[in-house]
Short mmCIF file of all heavy atoms in Angstrom, two decimals:
data_model
loop_
_atom_site.label_atom_id
_atom_site.label_comp_id
_atom_site.label_asym_id
_atom_site.label_seq_id
_atom_site.Cartn_x
_atom_site.Cartn_y
_atom_site.Cartn_z
N MET A 1067 9.57 -36.00 -18.22
CA MET A 1067 8.37 -35.22 -18.03
C MET A 1067 8.35 -34.55 -16.66
O MET A 1067 7.91 -33.43 -16.55
CB MET A 1067 7.13 -36.11 -18.17
CG MET A 1067 6.87 -36.55 -19.60
SD MET A 1067 6.62 -35.15 -20.67
CE MET A 1067 4.89 -35.21 -20.90
N ARG A 1068 8.84 -35.24 -15.65
CA ARG A 1068 8.85 -34.68 -14.31
C ARG A 1068 9.75 -33.44 -14.26
O ARG A 1068 9.40 -32.44 -13.64
CB ARG A 1068 9.33 -35.73 -13.32
CG ARG A 1068 9.38 -35.17 -11.90
CD ARG A 1068 10.05 -36.12 -10.97
NE ARG A 1068 9.06 -37.00 -10.36
CZ ARG A 1068 9.37 -37.95 -9.51
NH1 ARG A 1068 10.62 -38.18 -9.21
NH2 ARG A 1068 8.43 -38.68 -8.98
N ILE A 1069 10.89 -33.50 -14.94
CA ILE A 1069 11.81 -32.36 -14.94
C ILE A 1069 11.16 -31.15 -15.59
O ILE A 1069 11.31 -30.02 -15.12
CB ILE A 1069 13.14 -32.74 -15.64
CG1 ILE A 1069 13.87 -33.79 -14.80
CG2 ILE A 1069 14.00 -31.53 -15.84
CD1 ILE A 1069 15.12 -34.34 -15.45
N ARG A 1070 10.42 -31.37 -16.67
CA ARG A 1070 9.74 -30.25 -17.35
C ARG A 1070 8.72 -29.59 -16.42
O ARG A 1070 8.61 -28.37 -16.39
CB ARG A 1070 9.04 -30.74 -18.62
CG ARG A 1070 9.99 -31.01 -19.74
CD ARG A 1070 9.21 -31.36 -20.98
NE ARG A 1070 10.11 -31.78 -22.04
CZ ARG A 1070 9.71 -32.25 -23.20
NH1 ARG A 1070 8.42 -32.39 -23.44
NH2 ARG A 1070 10.58 -32.61 -24.12
N ARG A 1071 7.97 -30.39 -15.68
CA ARG A 1071 6.97 -29.83 -14.76
C ARG A 1071 7.64 -29.03 -13.65
O ARG A 1071 7.19 -27.95 -13.29
CB ARG A 1071 6.12 -30.95 -14.15
CG ARG A 1071 5.08 -31.46 -15.09
CD ARG A 1071 4.15 -32.40 -14.37
NE ARG A 1071 3.94 -33.56 -15.23
CZ ARG A 1071 3.68 -34.77 -14.82
NH1 ARG A 1071 3.60 -35.03 -13.53
NH2 ARG A 1071 3.50 -35.75 -15.67
N ILE A 1072 8.71 -29.57 -13.11
CA ILE A 1072 9.43 -28.86 -12.05
C ILE A 1072 10.02 -27.56 -12.58
O ILE A 1072 9.93 -26.52 -11.94
CB ILE A 1072 10.53 -29.77 -11.45
CG1 ILE A 1072 9.88 -30.93 -10.71
CG2 ILE A 1072 11.43 -28.97 -10.52
CD1 ILE A 1072 10.87 -31.99 -10.25
N LEU A 1073 10.60 -27.61 -13.77
CA LEU A 1073 11.16 -26.42 -14.38
C LEU A 1073 10.08 -25.39 -14.66
O LEU A 1073 10.26 -24.20 -14.38
CB LEU A 1073 11.90 -26.78 -15.69
CG LEU A 1073 12.63 -25.64 -16.38
CD1 LEU A 1073 13.68 -25.04 -15.46
CD2 LEU A 1073 13.27 -26.15 -17.66
N ALA A 1074 8.93 -25.80 -15.18
CA ALA A 1074 7.82 -24.88 -15.45
C ALA A 1074 7.31 -24.24 -14.16
O ALA A 1074 7.02 -23.05 -14.12
CB ALA A 1074 6.70 -25.61 -16.17
N ALA A 1075 7.22 -25.04 -13.10
CA ALA A 1075 6.77 -24.50 -11.82
C ALA A 1075 7.77 -23.49 -11.27
O ALA A 1075 7.39 -22.45 -10.72
CB ALA A 1075 6.57 -25.63 -10.82
N GLY A 1076 9.05 -23.76 -11.44
CA GLY A 1076 10.09 -22.82 -10.98
C GLY A 1076 10.04 -21.51 -11.74
O GLY A 1076 10.17 -20.43 -11.16
N ILE A 1077 9.83 -21.59 -13.04
CA ILE A 1077 9.76 -20.37 -13.86
C ILE A 1077 8.52 -19.56 -13.49
O ILE A 1077 8.57 -18.34 -13.38
CB ILE A 1077 9.77 -20.73 -15.36
CG1 ILE A 1077 11.15 -21.27 -15.73
CG2 ILE A 1077 9.40 -19.55 -16.22
CD1 ILE A 1077 11.24 -21.85 -17.13
N ALA A 1078 7.39 -20.24 -13.30
CA ALA A 1078 6.16 -19.55 -12.91
C ALA A 1078 6.33 -18.86 -11.56
O ALA A 1078 5.90 -17.72 -11.37
CB ALA A 1078 5.00 -20.53 -12.87
N THR A 1079 6.96 -19.52 -10.62
CA THR A 1079 7.19 -18.93 -9.30
C THR A 1079 8.08 -17.71 -9.40
O THR A 1079 7.82 -16.67 -8.78
CB THR A 1079 7.82 -19.97 -8.35
OG1 THR A 1079 6.97 -21.11 -8.29
CG2 THR A 1079 8.02 -19.40 -6.97
N ALA A 1080 9.14 -17.79 -10.19
CA ALA A 1080 10.04 -16.65 -10.37
C ALA A 1080 9.32 -15.48 -11.03
O ALA A 1080 9.53 -14.33 -10.65
CB ALA A 1080 11.25 -17.07 -11.20
N ALA A 1081 8.45 -15.77 -11.98
CA ALA A 1081 7.71 -14.70 -12.65
C ALA A 1081 6.76 -14.00 -11.68
O ALA A 1081 6.67 -12.78 -11.67
CB ALA A 1081 6.94 -15.27 -13.84
N LEU A 1082 6.07 -14.78 -10.86
CA LEU A 1082 5.16 -14.18 -9.89
C LEU A 1082 5.92 -13.39 -8.84
O LEU A 1082 5.46 -12.33 -8.40
CB LEU A 1082 4.30 -15.26 -9.24
CG LEU A 1082 3.26 -15.91 -10.15
CD1 LEU A 1082 2.57 -17.05 -9.43
CD2 LEU A 1082 2.26 -14.90 -10.65
N ALA A 1083 7.06 -13.87 -8.43
CA ALA A 1083 7.88 -13.13 -7.46
C ALA A 1083 8.35 -11.82 -8.06
O ALA A 1083 8.39 -10.78 -7.39
CB ALA A 1083 9.07 -13.97 -7.02
N GLY A 1084 8.69 -11.82 -9.34
CA GLY A 1084 9.10 -10.59 -10.01
C GLY A 1084 7.98 -9.58 -10.06
O GLY A 1084 8.19 -8.38 -9.86
N LEU A 1085 6.75 -10.03 -10.27
CA LEU A 1085 5.61 -9.12 -10.27
C LEU A 1085 5.41 -8.50 -8.90
O LEU A 1085 5.09 -7.33 -8.78
CB LEU A 1085 4.35 -9.86 -10.71
CG LEU A 1085 4.26 -10.27 -12.18
CD1 LEU A 1085 3.01 -11.10 -12.42
CD2 LEU A 1085 4.27 -9.05 -13.07
N GLY A 1086 5.60 -9.28 -7.87
CA GLY A 1086 5.47 -8.76 -6.52
C GLY A 1086 6.50 -7.70 -6.21
O GLY A 1086 6.21 -6.69 -5.58
N LEU A 1087 7.72 -7.88 -6.68
CA LEU A 1087 8.76 -6.89 -6.44
C LEU A 1087 8.50 -5.60 -7.19
O LEU A 1087 8.71 -4.52 -6.66
CB LEU A 1087 10.13 -7.46 -6.86
CG LEU A 1087 10.66 -8.60 -6.00
CD1 LEU A 1087 11.95 -9.15 -6.59
CD2 LEU A 1087 10.88 -8.15 -4.57
N THR A 1088 8.02 -5.67 -8.42
CA THR A 1088 7.74 -4.45 -9.16
C THR A 1088 6.55 -3.72 -8.56
O THR A 1088 6.51 -2.50 -8.56
CB THR A 1088 7.48 -4.74 -10.65
OG1 THR A 1088 6.39 -5.64 -10.76
CG2 THR A 1088 8.70 -5.30 -11.32
N GLY A 1089 5.57 -4.45 -8.03
CA GLY A 1089 4.44 -3.80 -7.38
C GLY A 1089 4.87 -3.07 -6.13
O GLY A 1089 4.41 -1.98 -5.84
N ALA A 1090 5.78 -3.64 -5.37
CA ALA A 1090 6.28 -2.99 -4.16
C ALA A 1090 7.08 -1.74 -4.51
O ALA A 1090 6.99 -0.73 -3.82
CB ALA A 1090 7.13 -3.96 -3.35
N ALA A 1091 7.86 -1.80 -5.57
CA ALA A 1091 8.64 -0.64 -5.98
C ALA A 1091 7.72 0.49 -6.42
O ALA A 1091 7.98 1.66 -6.14
CB ALA A 1091 9.59 -1.03 -7.11
N THR A 1092 6.65 0.17 -7.09
CA THR A 1092 5.70 1.19 -7.53
C THR A 1092 5.01 1.83 -6.33
O THR A 1092 4.81 3.03 -6.30
CB THR A 1092 4.64 0.57 -8.47
OG1 THR A 1092 5.31 -0.04 -9.55
CG2 THR A 1092 3.68 1.61 -8.98
N ALA A 1093 4.68 1.02 -5.34
CA ALA A 1093 3.99 1.54 -4.17
C ALA A 1093 4.88 2.50 -3.38
O ALA A 1093 4.40 3.52 -2.89
CB ALA A 1093 3.54 0.39 -3.27
N THR A 1094 6.16 2.23 -3.27
CA THR A 1094 7.04 3.12 -2.52
C THR A 1094 7.41 4.35 -3.32
O THR A 1094 7.80 5.36 -2.75
CB THR A 1094 8.32 2.39 -2.08
OG1 THR A 1094 8.94 1.83 -3.23
CG2 THR A 1094 8.02 1.31 -1.07
N ALA A 1095 7.27 4.32 -4.63
CA ALA A 1095 7.64 5.46 -5.46
C ALA A 1095 6.56 6.53 -5.48
O ALA A 1095 6.76 7.59 -6.04
CB ALA A 1095 7.94 5.00 -6.88
N GLN A 1096 5.40 6.29 -4.86
CA GLN A 1096 4.32 7.25 -4.90
C GLN A 1096 4.58 8.48 -4.04
O GLN A 1096 4.00 9.53 -4.27
CB GLN A 1096 3.02 6.58 -4.46
CG GLN A 1096 2.52 5.58 -5.47
CD GLN A 1096 1.27 4.87 -4.98
OE1 GLN A 1096 0.83 5.07 -3.86
NE2 GLN A 1096 0.72 4.03 -5.82
N GLY A 1097 5.41 8.40 -3.05
CA GLY A 1097 5.76 9.56 -2.25
C GLY A 1097 4.97 9.60 -0.95
O GLY A 1097 4.15 8.76 -0.64
N ALA A 1098 5.24 10.66 -0.20
CA ALA A 1098 4.62 10.83 1.11
C ALA A 1098 3.17 11.29 0.96
O ALA A 1098 2.83 11.99 0.01
CB ALA A 1098 5.41 11.86 1.90
N PRO A 1099 2.31 10.90 1.91
CA PRO A 1099 0.93 11.35 1.85
C PRO A 1099 0.83 12.85 2.10
O PRO A 1099 1.66 13.43 2.79
CB PRO A 1099 0.24 10.55 2.95
CG PRO A 1099 1.31 10.07 3.84
CD PRO A 1099 2.56 10.00 3.01
N SER A 1100 -0.19 13.46 1.55
CA SER A 1100 -0.35 14.90 1.71
C SER A 1100 -1.04 15.22 3.03
O SER A 1100 -1.64 14.36 3.67
CB SER A 1100 -1.19 15.45 0.55
OG SER A 1100 -2.46 14.84 0.56
N ASP A 1101 -0.96 16.48 3.43
CA ASP A 1101 -1.63 16.92 4.64
C ASP A 1101 -3.11 17.15 4.35
O ASP A 1101 -3.49 17.56 3.26
CB ASP A 1101 -1.02 18.23 5.15
CG ASP A 1101 0.41 18.05 5.63
OD1 ASP A 1101 0.84 16.89 5.80
OD2 ASP A 1101 1.09 19.07 5.85
N VAL A 1102 -3.95 16.88 5.33
CA VAL A 1102 -5.39 17.10 5.22
C VAL A 1102 -5.87 17.91 6.41
O VAL A 1102 -5.24 17.91 7.47
CB VAL A 1102 -6.19 15.78 5.14
CG1 VAL A 1102 -5.85 15.01 3.89
CG2 VAL A 1102 -5.97 14.92 6.36
N THR A 1103 -6.96 18.61 6.23
CA THR A 1103 -7.56 19.34 7.35
C THR A 1103 -8.40 18.37 8.18
O THR A 1103 -8.80 17.31 7.68
CB THR A 1103 -8.45 20.48 6.83
OG1 THR A 1103 -9.53 19.92 6.09
CG2 THR A 1103 -7.67 21.44 5.95
N PRO A 1104 -8.69 18.72 9.43
CA PRO A 1104 -9.54 17.84 10.25
C PRO A 1104 -10.91 17.59 9.61
O PRO A 1104 -11.43 16.48 9.69
CB PRO A 1104 -9.66 18.60 11.57
CG PRO A 1104 -8.39 19.37 11.66
CD PRO A 1104 -8.09 19.79 10.25
N SER A 1105 -11.46 18.59 8.93
CA SER A 1105 -12.77 18.39 8.30
C SER A 1105 -12.67 17.44 7.11
O SER A 1105 -13.56 16.63 6.87
CB SER A 1105 -13.39 19.72 7.89
OG SER A 1105 -12.59 20.38 6.93
N GLU A 1106 -11.57 17.52 6.35
CA GLU A 1106 -11.37 16.57 5.24
C GLU A 1106 -11.22 15.16 5.77
O GLU A 1106 -11.70 14.20 5.16
CB GLU A 1106 -10.13 16.96 4.42
CG GLU A 1106 -10.30 18.19 3.58
CD GLU A 1106 -9.01 18.62 2.91
OE1 GLU A 1106 -7.92 18.36 3.47
OE2 GLU A 1106 -9.08 19.22 1.82
N CYS A 1107 -10.55 15.02 6.90
CA CYS A 1107 -10.39 13.71 7.54
C CYS A 1107 -11.75 13.13 7.89
O CYS A 1107 -12.05 11.98 7.59
CB CYS A 1107 -9.52 13.84 8.78
SG CYS A 1107 -9.34 12.33 9.74
N GLN A 1108 -12.62 13.95 8.50
CA GLN A 1108 -13.96 13.49 8.88
C GLN A 1108 -14.81 13.19 7.65
O GLN A 1108 -15.55 12.21 7.64
CB GLN A 1108 -14.65 14.54 9.75
CG GLN A 1108 -14.07 14.62 11.14
CD GLN A 1108 -14.73 15.70 11.97
OE1 GLN A 1108 -15.21 16.70 11.45
NE2 GLN A 1108 -14.74 15.50 13.29
N GLN A 1109 -14.71 14.02 6.61
CA GLN A 1109 -15.49 13.79 5.40
C GLN A 1109 -15.09 12.49 4.72
O GLN A 1109 -15.90 11.84 4.07
CB GLN A 1109 -15.32 14.96 4.43
CG GLN A 1109 -16.01 16.21 4.89
CD GLN A 1109 -15.69 17.41 4.02
OE1 GLN A 1109 -14.91 17.31 3.08
NE2 GLN A 1109 -16.29 18.54 4.34
N GLY A 1110 -13.82 12.10 4.89
CA GLY A 1110 -13.34 10.84 4.32
C GLY A 1110 -13.66 9.63 5.18
O GLY A 1110 -13.24 8.52 4.87
N GLY A 1111 -14.35 9.84 6.29
CA GLY A 1111 -14.73 8.73 7.15
C GLY A 1111 -13.75 8.45 8.26
O GLY A 1111 -13.84 7.43 8.94
N GLY A 1112 -12.79 9.33 8.49
CA GLY A 1112 -11.79 9.13 9.53
C GLY A 1112 -12.06 9.96 10.76
O GLY A 1112 -13.01 10.73 10.83
N THR A 1113 -11.17 9.81 11.73
CA THR A 1113 -11.25 10.56 12.98
C THR A 1113 -9.94 11.33 13.16
O THR A 1113 -8.88 10.72 13.22
CB THR A 1113 -11.44 9.61 14.19
OG1 THR A 1113 -12.59 8.81 13.94
CG2 THR A 1113 -11.60 10.38 15.47
N PRO A 1114 -10.02 12.68 13.25
CA PRO A 1114 -8.78 13.44 13.47
C PRO A 1114 -8.29 13.30 14.91
O PRO A 1114 -9.07 13.43 15.85
CB PRO A 1114 -9.20 14.88 13.16
CG PRO A 1114 -10.68 14.91 13.28
CD PRO A 1114 -11.17 13.53 13.05
N HIS A 1115 -7.02 12.98 15.05
CA HIS A 1115 -6.39 12.89 16.37
C HIS A 1115 -5.44 14.06 16.50
O HIS A 1115 -4.35 14.06 15.90
CB HIS A 1115 -5.66 11.56 16.55
CG HIS A 1115 -6.60 10.41 16.72
ND1 HIS A 1115 -7.08 10.04 17.95
CD2 HIS A 1115 -7.17 9.58 15.82
CE1 HIS A 1115 -7.90 9.01 17.79
NE2 HIS A 1115 -7.98 8.72 16.51
N LEU A 1116 -5.85 15.05 17.28
CA LEU A 1116 -5.07 16.27 17.40
C LEU A 1116 -3.81 16.07 18.22
O LEU A 1116 -2.84 16.79 18.04
CB LEU A 1116 -5.94 17.38 17.99
CG LEU A 1116 -7.20 17.72 17.16
CD1 LEU A 1116 -8.03 18.79 17.86
CD2 LEU A 1116 -6.83 18.16 15.77
N ALA A 1117 -3.81 15.08 19.12
CA ALA A 1117 -2.64 14.85 19.97
C ALA A 1117 -1.41 14.46 19.15
O ALA A 1117 -0.31 14.95 19.40
CB ALA A 1117 -2.94 13.76 20.99
N ASP A 1118 -1.59 13.59 18.14
CA ASP A 1118 -0.46 13.20 17.30
C ASP A 1118 -0.58 13.73 15.87
O ASP A 1118 0.20 13.37 15.01
CB ASP A 1118 -0.27 11.68 17.30
CG ASP A 1118 -1.48 10.93 16.80
OD1 ASP A 1118 -2.53 11.57 16.55
OD2 ASP A 1118 -1.40 9.70 16.66
N SER A 1119 -1.56 14.60 15.64
CA SER A 1119 -1.76 15.28 14.35
C SER A 1119 -1.87 14.32 13.17
O SER A 1119 -1.24 14.51 12.13
CB SER A 1119 -0.63 16.28 14.09
OG SER A 1119 -0.63 17.28 15.08
N THR A 1120 -2.67 13.27 13.33
CA THR A 1120 -2.90 12.33 12.23
C THR A 1120 -4.39 12.04 12.09
O THR A 1120 -5.16 12.28 13.01
CB THR A 1120 -2.17 10.99 12.44
OG1 THR A 1120 -2.63 10.40 13.64
CG2 THR A 1120 -0.67 11.16 12.46
N CYS A 1121 -4.74 11.54 10.94
CA CYS A 1121 -6.10 11.10 10.66
C CYS A 1121 -6.11 9.57 10.74
O CYS A 1121 -5.31 8.91 10.09
CB CYS A 1121 -6.53 11.56 9.28
SG CYS A 1121 -8.20 11.07 8.81
N GLU A 1122 -7.02 9.02 11.54
CA GLU A 1122 -7.12 7.56 11.68
C GLU A 1122 -8.40 7.07 11.03
O GLU A 1122 -9.48 7.56 11.33
CB GLU A 1122 -7.10 7.15 13.14
CG GLU A 1122 -5.72 7.14 13.73
CD GLU A 1122 -5.68 6.43 15.07
OE1 GLU A 1122 -6.61 5.67 15.40
OE2 GLU A 1122 -4.72 6.66 15.80
N GLY A 1123 -8.24 6.10 10.11
CA GLY A 1123 -9.37 5.51 9.44
C GLY A 1123 -9.78 6.29 8.21
O GLY A 1123 -9.25 7.36 7.91
N GLY A 1124 -10.70 5.74 7.47
CA GLY A 1124 -11.23 6.40 6.29
C GLY A 1124 -10.24 6.45 5.14
O GLY A 1124 -9.24 5.74 5.11
N THR A 1125 -10.52 7.34 4.21
CA THR A 1125 -9.68 7.44 3.01
C THR A 1125 -8.37 8.14 3.25
O THR A 1125 -7.46 8.05 2.44
CB THR A 1125 -10.45 8.15 1.89
OG1 THR A 1125 -10.85 9.44 2.36
CG2 THR A 1125 -11.66 7.37 1.44
N HIS A 1126 -8.26 8.90 4.35
CA HIS A 1126 -7.03 9.64 4.66
C HIS A 1126 -6.26 9.01 5.82
O HIS A 1126 -5.52 9.70 6.52
CB HIS A 1126 -7.37 11.11 4.97
CG HIS A 1126 -8.03 11.83 3.85
ND1 HIS A 1126 -7.37 12.18 2.71
CD2 HIS A 1126 -9.32 12.24 3.69
CE1 HIS A 1126 -8.21 12.80 1.89
NE2 HIS A 1126 -9.40 12.85 2.46
N ASN A 1127 -6.42 7.73 6.04
CA ASN A 1127 -5.80 7.05 7.17
C ASN A 1127 -4.28 7.24 7.17
O ASN A 1127 -3.61 6.99 6.18
CB ASN A 1127 -6.13 5.55 7.10
CG ASN A 1127 -5.66 4.82 8.33
OD1 ASN A 1127 -5.62 5.38 9.42
ND2 ASN A 1127 -5.28 3.57 8.18
N GLY A 1128 -3.77 7.72 8.30
CA GLY A 1128 -2.33 7.88 8.47
C GLY A 1128 -1.77 9.20 7.97
O GLY A 1128 -0.60 9.50 8.16
N GLU A 1129 -2.60 10.00 7.31
CA GLU A 1129 -2.10 11.28 6.79
C GLU A 1129 -2.03 12.31 7.91
O GLU A 1129 -2.79 12.28 8.87
CB GLU A 1129 -3.01 11.78 5.66
CG GLU A 1129 -2.96 10.90 4.44
CD GLU A 1129 -3.75 11.46 3.28
OE1 GLU A 1129 -3.91 12.71 3.21
OE2 GLU A 1129 -4.19 10.68 2.43
N ARG A 1130 -1.09 13.23 7.76
CA ARG A 1130 -0.90 14.28 8.76
C ARG A 1130 -2.00 15.32 8.65
O ARG A 1130 -2.47 15.61 7.55
CB ARG A 1130 0.45 14.96 8.59
CG ARG A 1130 1.62 14.10 8.95
CD ARG A 1130 2.92 14.82 8.86
NE ARG A 1130 2.83 16.15 8.28
CZ ARG A 1130 3.85 16.83 7.80
NH1 ARG A 1130 5.05 16.31 7.80
NH2 ARG A 1130 3.70 18.03 7.31
N LEU A 1131 -2.35 15.90 9.80
CA LEU A 1131 -3.34 16.97 9.81
C LEU A 1131 -2.63 18.29 9.57
O LEU A 1131 -1.53 18.53 10.06
CB LEU A 1131 -4.08 17.02 11.14
CG LEU A 1131 -4.95 15.80 11.46
CD1 LEU A 1131 -5.58 15.96 12.83
CD2 LEU A 1131 -6.01 15.60 10.41
N ASP A 1132 -3.28 19.14 8.82
CA ASP A 1132 -2.73 20.45 8.47
C ASP A 1132 -3.11 21.45 9.52
O ASP A 1132 -4.18 21.52 10.01
CB ASP A 1132 -3.26 20.87 7.09
CG ASP A 1132 -2.58 22.11 6.58
OD1 ASP A 1132 -1.49 22.46 7.06
OD2 ASP A 1132 -3.16 22.72 5.66
#
């Protein structure tokens, strides 16, 4: 009985690890973020940083400014 429990736990762990890997692959396959205007950055709740041309915070966090 102990071997069955250990084997079941190992299979469950492998299955969950597989789900994590497929989720990571899907996330990287989405592509680069699009450019946004400074006003779109502000409307999304972010702050445009003109020095490094990015939007910080909000829905467009990390996206480049157009």
Side-chain angles (χ1 to χ4, degrees):
M1067 289 300 255
R1068 178 189 269 179
I1069 293 175
R1070 285 186 187 174
R1071 283 189 224 151
I1072 293 172
L1073 184 59
I1077 291 171
T1079 303
L1082 290 175
L1085 290 175
L1087 291 175
T1088 58
T1092 304
T1094 55
Q1096 290 177 356
S1100 61
D1101 292 348
V1102 295
T1103 64
S1105 62
E1106 288 174 331
C1107 176
Q1108 288 178 332
Q1109 289 172 358
T1113 305
H1115 287 272
L1116 301 177
D1118 58 355
S1119 298
T1120 60
C1121 180
E1122 280 193 18
T1125 57
H1126 299 289
N1127 187 31
E1129 293 185 27
R1130 290 184 352 198
L1131 295 178
D1132 188 20

